[in-house]
Amino acid sequence: DFLWGAATAAYQIEGAWNEDGKGESIWDRFCHTPGKITNADTGDVACDHYHRYPEDIALMRQLGLKAYRFSISWPRVLPAGFGRVNPAGLDFYDRLVDALLAANIEPFITLHHWDFPQVLHERGGWINRDNLPYFADYTALMVKRLGDRVRRWATLNEPRDIADAGYGSGEHAPGIKDDWKSVRQVIHNLLVAHGLAIPAIRAINPALEAGIVLDVWGVEPTSDDPADITAADLVWNSQRIDFLHPIFQGCYHPSRIDADGDNLPEIKAGDMALISQKLDFLGINSYSRTQVGAQGITSQVPGAEYTDMGWEVCAPAFRRMLNRINNDYTLPPIYITENGAAFPDVVSKDGKIHDDRRLDYLRQHFTQVRLAMQDGVDVRGFFVWSLLDNFEWGHGNTKRFGIIRVDYDTQKRTIKDSGEWYSRVISSNSVDR
Ligand code: FCB
């Protein structure tokens, strides 16, 4: 029953940014602001998936995918984020889900993958607590519409990134810089929004499965020296488990609270119970690890391979991270909701993309997840990031993660060697060495 799949996100592939009544998102606004994105790329058209989804589903079918993880563009269905519904937006997701089911592919939905409604942002975004119930309303709208056909629902994708990159470093929309008090409040508010959405899903149909997608990269010491181990543990405890710990332990980690200093968020009575409700699954996105010593973060691990994102390839750390969270918390079943690699592909004379390094990256990570399962970690599925080359946020179109190539001039899709190989993994349900 292992769920072999691939993942995407609305803003990264859909395009049609202002079509059929869609509202503006903070990513539309951010990309239209000069200087924010490499090459001034935008997601205005992206992979044009909004129009080409039948072709994309035919490719998924060709690969033999059992499941497809995608996200809903909140302002496509609720242009302002609340209030007036856009029927054409709802119809799109309706058609998408029906076409997936007709192809025998299970839809796995992420409700929010970063394209927050601009109007709601202007009303205080994730900092304003009054906005949080709107996320639950939006959730209920979607579950009412698609819950008869879609079983698994994730509330947020990588909320830590929304807080850190959106409100801290400013590298992502809405591009707010250095407002650490806000970052801390946003972390808490995102957790509360997640906590409000979970019962909204279950109220509509208790048989549905509700969860969240967190980015968890292992943090490992440079050596066995206690000073290095202490430094690595501090990074893990005070930063890396910001969401994992409150959700599965019902409180913030003491190291996190120490690090907060004067920036403690406002926490209302009942919040922590809301945040730590039981989930049906946990989605894990993980691409690499962070190596830390008493001297700080290692920028270049000697001898290690790095991807085009500058991320170290270290598959054994994936297994160790899964075991660590499995030992530290009582977790529901896990889905690997994202893992994959960006490499600068070349189209060969034969028209193919011989992406050996991506293929090898996937092979190593599949193998390590299998070992983690043998260690006792309950992993139920694996979604490769990504189905298609797509718009990689601040990096624009320059980073290619797809197992299918997209030529952005012609929108032509070509299955890469990694995609052909993945297809064989799925049909044989096994990984060659
Ligand atoms: C993750 C994001 C996803 C994609 C990959 C490379 O952090 O969730 O949208 O950009 O990184």
Side-chain angles (χ1 to χ4, degrees):
D1 296 333
F2 196 77
L3 216 55
W4 291 108
T8 63
Y11 188 72
Q12 296 179 277
I13 65 162
E14 283 181 3
W17 78 280
N18 60 358
E19 275 180 56
D20 296 341
K22 176 181 165 295
E24 190 185 12
S25 79
I26 55 171
W27 271 95
D28 294 317
R29 180 65 64 96
F30 192 65
C31 294
H32 294 155
T33 309
K36 299 293 185 196
I37 312 292
T38 306
N39 298 334
D41 287 338
T42 72
D44 289 2
V45 177
C47 305
D48 195 30
H49 175 76
Y50 185 76
H51 300 111
R52 292 168 196 266
Y53 73 91
E55 181 191 342
D56 292 337
I57 292 174
L59 287 163
M60 294 180 213
R61 189 178 199 160
Q62 201 179 323
L63 292 175
L65 294 190
K66 297 200 185 306
Y68 172 53
R69 171 178 176 245
F70 63 96
S71 78
I72 305 224
S73 159
W74 181 351
R76 193 181 290 290
V77 296
L78 285 160
F82 62 98
R84 190 178 58 80
V85 172
N86 177 31
L90 285 175
D91 288 348
F92 168 67
Y93 294 108
D94 220 39
R95 292 195 301 275
L96 181 65
V97 163
D98 282 343
L100 286 165
L101 293 174
N104 230 337
I105 298 165
E106 181 179 333
F108 187 117
I109 290 183
T110 307
L111 285 154
H112 186 60
H113 198 130
W114 305 356
D115 45 356
F116 191 80
Q118 178 67 25
V119 171
L120 218 45
H121 173 64
E122 282 158 22
R123 292 185 166 217
W126 287 117
I127 301 170
N128 181 358
R129 200 169 162 125
D130 295 341
N131 285 337
L132 307 185
Y134 292 133
F135 180 63
D137 294 346
Y138 154 60
T139 297
L141 173 75
M142 293 318 303
V143 176
K144 269 187 201 138
R145 182 69 182 239
L146 304 174
D148 57 335
R149 285 156 289 159
V150 179
R151 175 161 158 215
R152 297 193 174 93
W153 295 81
T155 54
L156 301 168
N157 176 74
E158 301 194 5
R160 206 169 66 86
D161 198 278
I162 298 176
D164 286 352
Y167 291 81
S169 71
E171 285 165 74
H172 283 181
I176 296 165
K177 280 200 184 95
D178 293 332
D179 189 349
W180 294 105
K181 196 159 180 72
S182 296
V183 170
R184 191 60 187 91
Q185 192 64 52
V186 166
I187 290 174
H188 184 71
N189 288 357
L190 284 161
L191 280 160
V192 172
H194 157 78
L196 293 171
I198 294 295
I201 297 170
R202 295 198 173 127
I204 293 160
N205 179 356
L208 299 179
E209 294 187 17
I212 189 167
V213 172
L214 302 179
D215 52 318
V216 188
W217 292 21
V219 178
E220 305 193 316
T222 42
S223 81
D224 286 343
D225 187 319
D228 292 332
I229 293 174
T230 304
D233 279 348
L234 186 62
V235 170
W236 174 265
N237 291 329
S238 65
Q239 298 170 27
R240 209 44 67 87
I241 54 171
D242 275 358
F243 286 80
L244 203 60
H245 200 80
I247 291 175
F248 296 103
Q249 205 65 58
C251 60
Y252 288 109
H253 194 283
S255 295
R256 171 79 241 187
I257 295 170
D258 286 348
D260 285 340
D262 293 338
N263 293 330
L264 269 183
E266 195 189 320
I267 303 175
K268 295 213 165 140
D271 280 1
M272 299 317 289
L274 203 58
I275 290 168
S276 57
Q277 288 165 89
K278 207 169 165 301
L279 300 181
D280 301 302
F281 67 86
L282 168 64
I284 295 282
N285 294 355
S286 194
Y287 291 86
S288 183
R289 65 158 176 178
T290 311
Q291 205 195 55
V292 179
Q295 314 302 326
I297 292 177
T298 313
S299 53
Q300 177 91 35
V301 176
E305 182 189 12
Y306 281 80
T307 70
D308 203 20
M309 295 293 282
W311 296 343
E312 183 200 356
V313 179
C314 185
F318 199 7
R319 174 189 184 181
R320 293 192 287 265
M321 175 276 291
L322 289 170
N323 272 292
R324 181 174 193 173
I325 61 174
N326 193 50
N327 289 332
D328 288 357
Y329 303 101
T330 303
L331 299 177
I334 291 174
Y335 291 91
I336 306 304
T337 33
E338 284 181 31
N339 172 260
F343 287 112
D345 297 318
V346 199
V347 183
S348 301
K349 286 213 180 78
D350 59 4
K352 297 197 167 189
I353 298 97
H354 302 301
D355 58 337
D356 301 354
R357 293 175 74 192
R358 182 176 295 104
L359 190 158
D360 196 50
Y361 177 100
L362 291 173
R363 178 192 277 122
Q364 288 183 49
H365 285 77
F366 289 171
T367 305
Q368 292 297 326
V369 168
R370 177 64 181 145
L371 292 171
M373 290 165 74
Q374 288 169 355
D375 297 335
V377 185
D378 185 7
V379 181
R380 304 276 178 97
F382 195 118
F383 294 81
V384 170
W385 185 271
S386 179
L387 178 73
L388 303 166
D389 287 338
N390 59 47
F391 176 82
E392 179 49 34
W393 311 112
H395 300 285
N397 293 340
T398 62
K399 308 290 177 204
R400 294 182 177 272
F401 274 94
I403 51 173
I404 298 175
R405 180 180 176 87
V406 175
D407 178 329
Y408 294 110
D409 295 328
T410 61
Q411 290 295 345
K412 183 171 178 257
R413 275 82 161 131
T414 310
I415 298 180
K416 303 178 191 177
D417 283 3
S418 60
E420 306 280 2
W421 173 80
Y422 187 34
S423 179
R424 292 195 292 278
V425 169
I426 298 172
S427 63
S428 63
N429 203 37
S430 69
V431 178
D432 56 351
R433 301 264 167 148

